[in-house]
């Protein structure tokens, strides 16, 4: 604990390794915030370069994450977990994520680590985003616990990349962050591993001095993340990797939130969730329009990469 804070930073190396149908790999250096959600008001007051729900060099907006209509990230997580009969109570919740940098953020995936009131691991929730403004959480409960972390394989059923089919499984391997962090996500198709991403990092103090240094060392990091995603998508297209249109399999895209924009005040809705027939109906009514828009977007992308 540095300066009386549980929150910290992790300086990391990210690796992406596509194994099939055509090999493709890259590495990326970055840093992430590991935030004790109970400390967010204190961090807002204590740090000059980090703000909550307001502009700053680095800023954390509750609306950039899981939303269940509560306006507070911890409360929203609590509502989500209660649907699986998990009670947070007074236990700690940490979030490994990117904050907005100069007002912009795109989080490919964030990770909640939840503990009970005795400090024992309770569950973990990877929160996966795509570039269509959609977000899907995956619950790793106590049945997924193993020595040092959480491990689980789950159906993806979420459109993350146009170069990956929907009929795959995510394999999550999360260690509980301490002096270091180690995370691996795998994609399996027909029982065969076709892709994996790894994140390895070391703990750094969350101070204004360190934030100022990281702003110089990793300039425009959050913008560079989204640019890297599109750059490598272009390279995959040039390699003639199969392109999967989002509109082609809407029925296989389930249990996600439509998160809209990263701007504050944008409301999210949850789509395709069990026990929410009114949302299913609403989604059906817009699928026709969405399909047309997505076909146009996919068509433009395909034409521009030929």
């Amino acid at each position: 604990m540095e300066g009386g804070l549980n929150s910290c930073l992790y300086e990391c190396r990210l690796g992406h390794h596509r194994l099939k149908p055509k090999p493709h790999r890259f590495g990326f250096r970055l840093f992430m915030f590991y935030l004790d959600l109970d400390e967010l008001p204190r961090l807002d007051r204590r740090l000059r370069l980090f703000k909550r729900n307001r502009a700053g060099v680095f800023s954390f907006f509750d609306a950039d994450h899981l939303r269940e209509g509560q306006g507070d990230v911890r409360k929203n997580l609590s509502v989500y977990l209660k649907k699986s009969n998990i009670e947070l109570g007074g236990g700690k919740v940490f979030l490994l994520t990117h904050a907005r940098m100069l007002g912009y953020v795109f989080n490919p995936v964030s990770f909640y680590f939840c503990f009970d009131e005795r400090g024992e691991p309770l569950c973990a929730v990877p929160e996966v985003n795509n570039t269509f403004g959609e977000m899907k959480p995956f619950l790793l409960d106590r049945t997924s616990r193993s020595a040092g972390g959480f491990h689980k394989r789950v159906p993806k059923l979420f459109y993350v990349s146009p170069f990956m089919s929907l009929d795959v499984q995510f394999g999550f391997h999360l260690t509980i962050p301490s002096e270091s962090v180690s995370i691996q996500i795998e994609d399996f198709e027909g029982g065969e591993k076709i892709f994996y991403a790894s994140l390895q990092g070391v703990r750094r103090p969350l101070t204004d001095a360190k934030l100022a240094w990281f702003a110089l060392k990793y300039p425009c990091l959050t913008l560079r993340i989204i640019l890297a995603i599109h750059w490598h998508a272009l390279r995959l297209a040039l390699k003639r990797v199969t392109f999967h249109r989002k509109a082609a399999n809407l029925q296989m895209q389930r249990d996600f939130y439509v998160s809209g924009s990263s701007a504050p005040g944008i409301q999210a809705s949850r789509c395709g969730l069990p026990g929410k027939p009114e949302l299913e109906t609403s989604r059906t009514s817009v699928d026709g329009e969405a399909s047309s828009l997505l076909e146009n977007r996919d068509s433009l992308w395909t034409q521009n990469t030929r």
Side-chain angles (χ1 to χ4, degrees), residues 135-163:
M135 172 192 300
K136 181 170 181 175
F138 295 85
L139 176 61
L140 282 62
D141 59 18
R142 275 184 164 152
T143 64
S144 310
R145 282 280 287 122
S146 63
F150 294 87
H151 304 273
K152 189 173 185 178
R153 191 183 295 189
V154 296
K156 184 175 74 168
L157 298 177
F158 184 54
Y159 191 87
V160 178
S161 165
F163 302 100

PDB file of all heavy atoms in Angstrom, residues 135-163:
ATOM      1  N   MET A 135     -20.870  -3.742 -24.882  1.00  0.00           N
ATOM      2  CA  MET A 135     -20.105  -4.221 -23.736  1.00  0.00           C
ATOM      3  C   MET A 135     -20.739  -5.505 -23.220  1.00  0.00           C
ATOM      4  O   MET A 135     -21.959  -5.604 -23.100  1.00  0.00           O
ATOM      5  CB  MET A 135     -20.128  -3.156 -22.635  1.00  0.00           C
ATOM      6  CG  MET A 135     -19.547  -3.559 -21.300  1.00  0.00           C
ATOM      7  SD  MET A 135     -19.978  -2.331 -20.033  1.00  0.00           S
ATOM      8  CE  MET A 135     -19.214  -0.853 -20.709  1.00  0.00           C
ATOM      9  N   LYS A 136     -19.885  -6.493 -22.907  1.00  0.00           N
ATOM     10  CA  LYS A 136     -20.407  -7.736 -22.356  1.00  0.00           C
ATOM     11  C   LYS A 136     -19.567  -8.167 -21.165  1.00  0.00           C
ATOM     12  O   LYS A 136     -18.357  -8.353 -21.287  1.00  0.00           O
ATOM     13  CB  LYS A 136     -20.420  -8.842 -23.410  1.00  0.00           C
ATOM     14  CG  LYS A 136     -20.997 -10.163 -22.877  1.00  0.00           C
ATOM     15  CD  LYS A 136     -21.229 -11.176 -23.975  1.00  0.00           C
ATOM     16  CE  LYS A 136     -21.816 -12.466 -23.417  1.00  0.00           C
ATOM     17  NZ  LYS A 136     -22.164 -13.431 -24.479  1.00  0.00           N
ATOM     18  N   PRO A 137     -20.201  -8.352 -19.989  1.00  0.00           N
ATOM     19  CA  PRO A 137     -19.489  -8.892 -18.830  1.00  0.00           C
ATOM     20  C   PRO A 137     -19.550 -10.411 -18.812  1.00  0.00           C
ATOM     21  O   PRO A 137     -20.529 -11.007 -19.269  1.00  0.00           O
ATOM     22  CB  PRO A 137     -20.260  -8.298 -17.648  1.00  0.00           C
ATOM     23  CG  PRO A 137     -21.661  -8.140 -18.163  1.00  0.00           C
ATOM     24  CD  PRO A 137     -21.565  -7.901 -19.648  1.00  0.00           C
ATOM     25  N   PHE A 138     -18.512 -11.025 -18.284  1.00  0.00           N
ATOM     26  CA  PHE A 138     -18.452 -12.476 -18.115  1.00  0.00           C
ATOM     27  C   PHE A 138     -18.157 -12.759 -16.642  1.00  0.00           C
ATOM     28  O   PHE A 138     -17.177 -12.249 -16.094  1.00  0.00           O
ATOM     29  CB  PHE A 138     -17.357 -13.089 -18.989  1.00  0.00           C
ATOM     30  CG  PHE A 138     -17.610 -12.952 -20.467  1.00  0.00           C
ATOM     31  CD1 PHE A 138     -17.240 -11.794 -21.138  1.00  0.00           C
ATOM     32  CD2 PHE A 138     -18.221 -13.973 -21.180  1.00  0.00           C
ATOM     33  CE1 PHE A 138     -17.471 -11.661 -22.498  1.00  0.00           C
ATOM     34  CE2 PHE A 138     -18.458 -13.849 -22.546  1.00  0.00           C
ATOM     35  CZ  PHE A 138     -18.084 -12.690 -23.205  1.00  0.00           C
ATOM     36  N   LEU A 139     -18.996 -13.560 -16.015  1.00  0.00           N
ATOM     37  CA  LEU A 139     -18.865 -13.812 -14.584  1.00  0.00           C
ATOM     38  C   LEU A 139     -17.994 -15.041 -14.320  1.00  0.00           C
ATOM     39  O   LEU A 139     -18.271 -16.129 -14.812  1.00  0.00           O
ATOM     40  CB  LEU A 139     -20.244 -14.009 -13.956  1.00  0.00           C
ATOM     41  CG  LEU A 139     -20.261 -14.375 -12.466  1.00  0.00           C
ATOM     42  CD1 LEU A 139     -19.611 -13.280 -11.630  1.00  0.00           C
ATOM     43  CD2 LEU A 139     -21.688 -14.635 -12.003  1.00  0.00           C
ATOM     44  N   LEU A 140     -16.963 -14.841 -13.511  1.00  0.00           N
ATOM     45  CA  LEU A 140     -16.127 -15.935 -13.014  1.00  0.00           C
ATOM     46  C   LEU A 140     -16.360 -16.007 -11.507  1.00  0.00           C
ATOM     47  O   LEU A 140     -15.805 -15.205 -10.745  1.00  0.00           O
ATOM     48  CB  LEU A 140     -14.645 -15.684 -13.317  1.00  0.00           C
ATOM     49  CG  LEU A 140     -14.147 -15.948 -14.750  1.00  0.00           C
ATOM     50  CD1 LEU A 140     -14.844 -15.053 -15.776  1.00  0.00           C
ATOM     51  CD2 LEU A 140     -12.635 -15.762 -14.828  1.00  0.00           C
ATOM     52  N   ASP A 141     -17.228 -16.915 -11.073  1.00  0.00           N
ATOM     53  CA  ASP A 141     -17.589 -16.971  -9.660  1.00  0.00           C
ATOM     54  C   ASP A 141     -16.653 -17.925  -8.910  1.00  0.00           C
ATOM     55  O   ASP A 141     -15.615 -18.337  -9.424  1.00  0.00           O
ATOM     56  CB  ASP A 141     -19.056 -17.373  -9.493  1.00  0.00           C
ATOM     57  CG  ASP A 141     -19.370 -18.734 -10.104  1.00  0.00           C
ATOM     58  OD1 ASP A 141     -18.429 -19.521 -10.360  1.00  0.00           O
ATOM     59  OD2 ASP A 141     -20.564 -19.021 -10.330  1.00  0.00           O
ATOM     60  N   ARG A 142     -17.035 -18.278  -7.683  1.00  0.00           N
ATOM     61  CA  ARG A 142     -16.151 -19.095  -6.851  1.00  0.00           C
ATOM     62  C   ARG A 142     -15.934 -20.491  -7.424  1.00  0.00           C
ATOM     63  O   ARG A 142     -14.943 -21.138  -7.104  1.00  0.00           O
ATOM     64  CB  ARG A 142     -16.706 -19.182  -5.424  1.00  0.00           C
ATOM     65  CG  ARG A 142     -16.275 -17.982  -4.576  1.00  0.00           C
ATOM     66  CD  ARG A 142     -16.736 -18.091  -3.156  1.00  0.00           C
ATOM     67  NE  ARG A 142     -16.016 -17.155  -2.295  1.00  0.00           N
ATOM     68  CZ  ARG A 142     -16.507 -16.642  -1.177  1.00  0.00           C
ATOM     69  NH1 ARG A 142     -17.718 -16.974  -0.780  1.00  0.00           N
ATOM     70  NH2 ARG A 142     -15.775 -15.798  -0.450  1.00  0.00           N
ATOM     71  N   THR A 143     -16.832 -20.948  -8.281  1.00  0.00           N
ATOM     72  CA  THR A 143     -16.609 -22.244  -8.921  1.00  0.00           C
ATOM     73  C   THR A 143     -15.446 -22.166  -9.921  1.00  0.00           C
ATOM     74  O   THR A 143     -14.942 -23.198 -10.365  1.00  0.00           O
ATOM     75  CB  THR A 143     -17.874 -22.732  -9.648  1.00  0.00           C
ATOM     76  OG1 THR A 143     -18.193 -21.824 -10.719  1.00  0.00           O
ATOM     77  CG2 THR A 143     -19.060 -22.801  -8.690  1.00  0.00           C
ATOM     78  N   SER A 144     -15.038 -20.946 -10.275  1.00  0.00           N
ATOM     79  CA  SER A 144     -13.924 -20.748 -11.208  1.00  0.00           C
ATOM     80  C   SER A 144     -12.595 -20.513 -10.484  1.00  0.00           C
ATOM     81  O   SER A 144     -11.573 -20.284 -11.137  1.00  0.00           O
ATOM     82  CB  SER A 144     -14.202 -19.539 -12.115  1.00  0.00           C
ATOM     83  OG  SER A 144     -15.479 -19.598 -12.694  1.00  0.00           O
ATOM     84  N   ARG A 145     -12.626 -20.554  -9.150  1.00  0.00           N
ATOM     85  CA  ARG A 145     -11.419 -20.268  -8.364  1.00  0.00           C
ATOM     86  C   ARG A 145     -10.391 -21.376  -8.505  1.00  0.00           C
ATOM     87  O   ARG A 145     -10.714 -22.557  -8.572  1.00  0.00           O
ATOM     88  CB  ARG A 145     -11.762 -20.106  -6.875  1.00  0.00           C
ATOM     89  CG  ARG A 145     -12.360 -18.786  -6.503  1.00  0.00           C
ATOM     90  CD  ARG A 145     -11.305 -17.692  -6.359  1.00  0.00           C
ATOM     91  NE  ARG A 145     -10.513 -17.857  -5.146  1.00  0.00           N
ATOM     92  CZ  ARG A 145      -9.200 -17.995  -5.144  1.00  0.00           C
ATOM     93  NH1 ARG A 145      -8.520 -18.043  -6.258  1.00  0.00           N
ATOM     94  NH2 ARG A 145      -8.547 -18.112  -3.992  1.00  0.00           N
ATOM     95  N   SER A 146      -9.142 -20.960  -8.548  1.00  0.00           N
ATOM     96  CA  SER A 146      -8.017 -21.887  -8.479  1.00  0.00           C
ATOM     97  C   SER A 146      -6.905 -21.171  -7.732  1.00  0.00           C
ATOM     98  O   SER A 146      -7.055 -20.001  -7.346  1.00  0.00           O
ATOM     99  CB  SER A 146      -7.558 -22.300  -9.879  1.00  0.00           C
ATOM    100  OG  SER A 146      -7.087 -21.177 -10.590  1.00  0.00           O
ATOM    101  N   ALA A 147      -5.813 -21.838  -7.511  1.00  0.00           N
ATOM    102  CA  ALA A 147      -4.720 -21.248  -6.741  1.00  0.00           C
ATOM    103  C   ALA A 147      -4.281 -19.928  -7.381  1.00  0.00           C
ATOM    104  O   ALA A 147      -3.816 -19.897  -8.522  1.00  0.00           O
ATOM    105  CB  ALA A 147      -3.554 -22.220  -6.664  1.00  0.00           C
ATOM    106  N   GLY A 148      -4.471 -18.833  -6.648  1.00  0.00           N
ATOM    107  CA  GLY A 148      -3.984 -17.538  -7.111  1.00  0.00           C
ATOM    108  C   GLY A 148      -4.882 -16.768  -8.034  1.00  0.00           C
ATOM    109  O   GLY A 148      -4.543 -15.649  -8.423  1.00  0.00           O
ATOM    110  N   GLY A 149      -6.038 -17.336  -8.418  1.00  0.00           N
ATOM    111  CA  GLY A 149      -6.859 -16.577  -9.335  1.00  0.00           C
ATOM    112  C   GLY A 149      -8.137 -17.271  -9.765  1.00  0.00           C
ATOM    113  O   GLY A 149      -8.716 -18.075  -9.038  1.00  0.00           O
ATOM    114  N   PHE A 150      -8.564 -16.943 -10.991  1.00  0.00           N
ATOM    115  CA  PHE A 150      -9.797 -17.473 -11.559  1.00  0.00           C
ATOM    116  C   PHE A 150      -9.514 -17.993 -12.966  1.00  0.00           C
ATOM    117  O   PHE A 150      -8.780 -17.362 -13.733  1.00  0.00           O
ATOM    118  CB  PHE A 150     -10.876 -16.385 -11.646  1.00  0.00           C
ATOM    119  CG  PHE A 150     -11.345 -15.876 -10.319  1.00  0.00           C
ATOM    120  CD1 PHE A 150     -10.679 -14.833  -9.685  1.00  0.00           C
ATOM    121  CD2 PHE A 150     -12.453 -16.431  -9.699  1.00  0.00           C
ATOM    122  CE1 PHE A 150     -11.111 -14.355  -8.455  1.00  0.00           C
ATOM    123  CE2 PHE A 150     -12.894 -15.961  -8.464  1.00  0.00           C
ATOM    124  CZ  PHE A 150     -12.213 -14.925  -7.840  1.00  0.00           C
ATOM    125  N   HIS A 151     -10.129 -19.135 -13.288  1.00  0.00           N
ATOM    126  CA  HIS A 151      -9.958 -19.743 -14.606  1.00  0.00           C
ATOM    127  C   HIS A 151     -11.303 -20.286 -15.069  1.00  0.00           C
ATOM    128  O   HIS A 151     -11.966 -21.007 -14.339  1.00  0.00           O
ATOM    129  CB  HIS A 151      -8.927 -20.874 -14.561  1.00  0.00           C
ATOM    130  CG  HIS A 151      -7.595 -20.446 -14.028  1.00  0.00           C
ATOM    131  ND1 HIS A 151      -6.609 -19.899 -14.820  1.00  0.00           N
ATOM    132  CD2 HIS A 151      -7.087 -20.461 -12.768  1.00  0.00           C
ATOM    133  CE1 HIS A 151      -5.554 -19.605 -14.074  1.00  0.00           C
ATOM    134  NE2 HIS A 151      -5.830 -19.934 -12.835  1.00  0.00           N
ATOM    135  N   LYS A 152     -11.686 -19.930 -16.293  1.00  0.00           N
ATOM    136  CA  LYS A 152     -12.970 -20.397 -16.794  1.00  0.00           C
ATOM    137  C   LYS A 152     -13.003 -20.299 -18.315  1.00  0.00           C
ATOM    138  O   LYS A 152     -12.451 -19.365 -18.898  1.00  0.00           O
ATOM    139  CB  LYS A 152     -14.120 -19.571 -16.201  1.00  0.00           C
ATOM    140  CG  LYS A 152     -15.515 -20.122 -16.505  1.00  0.00           C
ATOM    141  CD  LYS A 152     -16.582 -19.340 -15.749  1.00  0.00           C
ATOM    142  CE  LYS A 152     -17.958 -19.947 -15.951  1.00  0.00           C
ATOM    143  NZ  LYS A 152     -18.994 -19.217 -15.189  1.00  0.00           N
ATOM    144  N   ARG A 153     -13.680 -21.267 -18.942  1.00  0.00           N
ATOM    145  CA  ARG A 153     -13.926 -21.224 -20.385  1.00  0.00           C
ATOM    146  C   ARG A 153     -15.417 -21.049 -20.592  1.00  0.00           C
ATOM    147  O   ARG A 153     -16.217 -21.792 -20.020  1.00  0.00           O
ATOM    148  CB  ARG A 153     -13.428 -22.493 -21.066  1.00  0.00           C
ATOM    149  CG  ARG A 153     -13.423 -22.378 -22.598  1.00  0.00           C
ATOM    150  CD  ARG A 153     -12.988 -23.671 -23.273  1.00  0.00           C
ATOM    151  NE  ARG A 153     -11.612 -24.033 -22.981  1.00  0.00           N
ATOM    152  CZ  ARG A 153     -10.965 -25.015 -23.591  1.00  0.00           C
ATOM    153  NH1 ARG A 153     -11.592 -25.750 -24.524  1.00  0.00           N
ATOM    154  NH2 ARG A 153      -9.722 -25.293 -23.271  1.00  0.00           N
ATOM    155  N   VAL A 154     -15.791 -20.068 -21.412  1.00  0.00           N
ATOM    156  CA  VAL A 154     -17.204 -19.728 -21.605  1.00  0.00           C
ATOM    157  C   VAL A 154     -17.477 -19.464 -23.082  1.00  0.00           C
ATOM    158  O   VAL A 154     -16.582 -19.037 -23.825  1.00  0.00           O
ATOM    159  CB  VAL A 154     -17.597 -18.476 -20.788  1.00  0.00           C
ATOM    160  CG1 VAL A 154     -17.465 -18.723 -19.299  1.00  0.00           C
ATOM    161  CG2 VAL A 154     -16.752 -17.272 -21.197  1.00  0.00           C
ATOM    162  N   PRO A 155     -18.708 -19.687 -23.545  1.00  0.00           N
ATOM    163  CA  PRO A 155     -19.060 -19.293 -24.915  1.00  0.00           C
ATOM    164  C   PRO A 155     -18.936 -17.779 -25.074  1.00  0.00           C
ATOM    165  O   PRO A 155     -19.323 -17.023 -24.179  1.00  0.00           O
ATOM    166  CB  PRO A 155     -20.515 -19.747 -25.057  1.00  0.00           C
ATOM    167  CG  PRO A 155     -20.709 -20.770 -23.981  1.00  0.00           C
ATOM    168  CD  PRO A 155     -19.814 -20.377 -22.858  1.00  0.00           C
ATOM    169  N   LYS A 156     -18.402 -17.338 -26.191  1.00  0.00           N
ATOM    170  CA  LYS A 156     -18.204 -15.900 -26.393  1.00  0.00           C
ATOM    171  C   LYS A 156     -19.527 -15.217 -26.722  1.00  0.00           C
ATOM    172  O   LYS A 156     -19.948 -14.292 -26.026  1.00  0.00           O
ATOM    173  CB  LYS A 156     -17.182 -15.664 -27.504  1.00  0.00           C
ATOM    174  CG  LYS A 156     -16.851 -14.191 -27.698  1.00  0.00           C
ATOM    175  CD  LYS A 156     -15.750 -13.989 -28.727  1.00  0.00           C
ATOM    176  CE  LYS A 156     -16.255 -14.208 -30.125  1.00  0.00           C
ATOM    177  NZ  LYS A 156     -15.283 -13.751 -31.165  1.00  0.00           N
ATOM    178  N   LEU A 157     -20.170 -15.614 -27.809  1.00  0.00           N
ATOM    179  CA  LEU A 157     -21.472 -15.070 -28.232  1.00  0.00           C
ATOM    180  C   LEU A 157     -21.480 -13.541 -28.185  1.00  0.00           C
ATOM    181  O   LEU A 157     -22.423 -12.907 -27.703  1.00  0.00           O
ATOM    182  CB  LEU A 157     -22.600 -15.649 -27.368  1.00  0.00           C
ATOM    183  CG  LEU A 157     -22.772 -17.167 -27.452  1.00  0.00           C
ATOM    184  CD1 LEU A 157     -23.864 -17.633 -26.506  1.00  0.00           C
ATOM    185  CD2 LEU A 157     -23.057 -17.615 -28.876  1.00  0.00           C
ATOM    186  N   PHE A 158     -20.411 -12.960 -28.682  1.00  0.00           N
ATOM    187  CA  PHE A 158     -20.247 -11.505 -28.664  1.00  0.00           C
ATOM    188  C   PHE A 158     -19.320 -11.136 -29.812  1.00  0.00           C
ATOM    189  O   PHE A 158     -18.295 -11.792 -30.035  1.00  0.00           O
ATOM    190  CB  PHE A 158     -19.671 -11.061 -27.322  1.00  0.00           C
ATOM    191  CG  PHE A 158     -19.553  -9.568 -27.139  1.00  0.00           C
ATOM    192  CD1 PHE A 158     -20.658  -8.753 -27.324  1.00  0.00           C
ATOM    193  CD2 PHE A 158     -18.356  -8.984 -26.756  1.00  0.00           C
ATOM    194  CE1 PHE A 158     -20.559  -7.377 -27.149  1.00  0.00           C
ATOM    195  CE2 PHE A 158     -18.252  -7.621 -26.566  1.00  0.00           C
ATOM    196  CZ  PHE A 158     -19.360  -6.807 -26.765  1.00  0.00           C
ATOM    197  N   TYR A 159     -19.678 -10.088 -30.537  1.00  0.00           N
ATOM    198  CA  TYR A 159     -18.898  -9.670 -31.699  1.00  0.00           C
ATOM    199  C   TYR A 159     -17.761  -8.773 -31.246  1.00  0.00           C
ATOM    200  O   TYR A 159     -17.966  -7.612 -30.899  1.00  0.00           O
ATOM    201  CB  TYR A 159     -19.800  -8.946 -32.685  1.00  0.00           C
ATOM    202  CG  TYR A 159     -19.191  -8.687 -34.044  1.00  0.00           C
ATOM    203  CD1 TYR A 159     -19.280  -9.649 -35.054  1.00  0.00           C
ATOM    204  CD2 TYR A 159     -18.543  -7.497 -34.327  1.00  0.00           C
ATOM    205  CE1 TYR A 159     -18.738  -9.416 -36.313  1.00  0.00           C
ATOM    206  CE2 TYR A 159     -17.997  -7.249 -35.577  1.00  0.00           C
ATOM    207  CZ  TYR A 159     -18.096  -8.218 -36.571  1.00  0.00           C
ATOM    208  OH  TYR A 159     -17.561  -7.987 -37.813  1.00  0.00           O
ATOM    209  N   VAL A 160     -16.561  -9.313 -31.240  1.00  0.00           N
ATOM    210  CA  VAL A 160     -15.390  -8.551 -30.813  1.00  0.00           C
ATOM    211  C   VAL A 160     -14.547  -8.145 -32.008  1.00  0.00           C
ATOM    212  O   VAL A 160     -14.126  -7.000 -32.126  1.00  0.00           O
ATOM    213  CB  VAL A 160     -14.540  -9.371 -29.814  1.00  0.00           C
ATOM    214  CG1 VAL A 160     -13.287  -8.595 -29.418  1.00  0.00           C
ATOM    215  CG2 VAL A 160     -15.358  -9.714 -28.573  1.00  0.00           C
ATOM    216  N   SER A 161     -14.292  -9.099 -32.916  1.00  0.00           N
ATOM    217  CA  SER A 161     -13.443  -8.851 -34.077  1.00  0.00           C
ATOM    218  C   SER A 161     -14.119  -9.396 -35.322  1.00  0.00           C
ATOM    219  O   SER A 161     -14.674 -10.496 -35.305  1.00  0.00           O
ATOM    220  CB  SER A 161     -12.087  -9.531 -33.888  1.00  0.00           C
ATOM    221  OG  SER A 161     -11.374  -9.590 -35.121  1.00  0.00           O
ATOM    222  N   PRO A 162     -14.053  -8.661 -36.434  1.00  0.00           N
ATOM    223  CA  PRO A 162     -14.608  -9.200 -37.681  1.00  0.00           C
ATOM    224  C   PRO A 162     -13.795 -10.365 -38.238  1.00  0.00           C
ATOM    225  O   PRO A 162     -14.224 -11.019 -39.187  1.00  0.00           O
ATOM    226  CB  PRO A 162     -14.569  -7.997 -38.629  1.00  0.00           C
ATOM    227  CG  PRO A 162     -13.480  -7.130 -38.099  1.00  0.00           C
ATOM    228  CD  PRO A 162     -13.521  -7.300 -36.611  1.00  0.00           C
ATOM    229  N   PHE A 163     -12.649 -10.627 -37.633  1.00  0.00           N
ATOM    230  CA  PHE A 163     -11.790 -11.715 -38.100  1.00  0.00           C
ATOM    231  C   PHE A 163     -11.829 -12.915 -37.155  1.00  0.00           C
ATOM    232  O   PHE A 163     -10.935 -13.745 -37.157  1.00  0.00           O
ATOM    233  CB  PHE A 163     -10.358 -11.200 -38.270  1.00  0.00           C
ATOM    234  CG  PHE A 163     -10.271 -10.038 -39.220  1.00  0.00           C
ATOM    235  CD1 PHE A 163     -10.197  -8.746 -38.744  1.00  0.00           C
ATOM    236  CD2 PHE A 163     -10.318 -10.245 -40.586  1.00  0.00           C
ATOM    237  CE1 PHE A 163     -10.138  -7.668 -39.614  1.00  0.00           C
ATOM    238  CE2 PHE A 163     -10.269  -9.178 -41.470  1.00  0.00           C
ATOM    239  CZ  PHE A 163     -10.181  -7.882 -40.988  1.00  0.00           C
TER     240      PHE A 163
END
